[in-house]
Amino acid sequence: MGQFTAALITGATTLAVILAADLGDRRVTAPRTTGPVLAVAVAVVLCVHSFPASGNDLSLQLACVGVGVICGLIAGSLLPARRESSGEIHTVGGIGYALIWLVLATGQTVFAYGAEHWFTARMTRFTTDYDLSGDTVLVSSAALMTLAMAAARTAVLLSRARALRAAGADSATGSEPDPVPGSGAEAAAGGERRTGGGRP
């Protein structure tokens, strides 16, 4: 499968499932957090038939995974979360969130099209000069980047949901955080213990 076709399929799949899951006020559920990652993973399996590891192939793939994680974390930062009185966790995906995914998917697709039609000779020289496996490694690297973006977005969702649930549990039990070592609150607490709670 060509680079442009693979980028078009994976990019369109990612954009569709992410926006369908996150746009608007949505409740955080297990299917919602894991569904997009699974859908993107299926698209990657269908589009990528090999992951070459000769020469500098692995380095390029790992670099693309790192870029994908960063992009996914940035996108996730635009998805604010809150805890309802019922205990449910909700997020709100707005225009900014949609735009960043649209830009990322479009950018990958346009680059893939350019590599096949606009600057093919330059990409050929690039893969030769840097000991890369031609179009094969470019396709796999782009697909891994897309999958990393979706996985990072899911990690942000899970982290925020866990933090909000923990905060809600603390509020329900009426527990207070321990004093910070070296703080005045710790010294006051220690003084009260030594004097029997501050009462004669």
Side-chain angles (χ1 to χ4, degrees):
M1 185 177 293
Q3 185 178 355
F4 171 68
T5 304
L8 184 62
I9 293 174
T10 56
T13 300
T14 303
L15 190 62
V17 297
I18 291 292
L19 296 188
D22 293 345
L23 274 189
D25 191 323
R26 299 298 180 91
R27 184 166 64 95
V28 176
T29 61
R32 184 190 158 199
T33 54
T34 59
V37 178
L38 294 176
V40 175
V42 170
V44 169
V45 170
L46 293 176
C47 295
V48 182
H49 303 294
S50 65
F51 293 89
S54 61
N56 292 316
D57 293 344
L58 187 58
S59 297
L60 179 62
Q61 291 167 354
L62 291 176
C64 287
V65 169
V67 172
V69 169
I70 293 172
C71 291
L73 293 177
I74 293 174
S77 69
L78 299 177
L79 197 64
R82 71 180 188 279
R83 182 178 182 274
E84 300 287 346
S85 58
S86 61
E88 295 180 344
I89 308 298
H90 284 239
T91 62
V92 180
I95 297 299
Y97 183 76
L99 282 177
I100 193 168
W101 284 103
L102 179 61
V103 169
L104 291 170
T106 303
Q108 278 192 332
T109 305
V110 170
F111 176 82
Y113 183 85
E116 287 190 351
H117 298 89
W118 298 335
F119 40 86
T120 308
R122 293 182 182 179
M123 291 307 301
T124 300
R125 286 197 301 270
F126 173 80
T127 55
T128 301
D129 293 343
Y130 289 93
D131 193 18
L132 299 170
S133 300
D135 291 345
T136 305
V137 71
L138 296 178
V139 170
S140 63
S141 297
L144 289 174
M145 178 179 172
T146 302
L147 183 58
M149 288 163 49
R153 164 261 181 199
T154 295
V156 171
L157 271 182
L158 292 174
S159 176
R160 287 184 172 175
R162 187 179 299 111
L164 287 172
R165 290 191 181 101
D170 289 342
S171 298
T173 58
S175 61
E176 297 181 357
D178 294 334
V180 178
S183 66
E186 183 188 42
E192 290 185 0
R193 285 194 295 270
R194 288 194 297 271
T195 59
R199 294 189 297 272

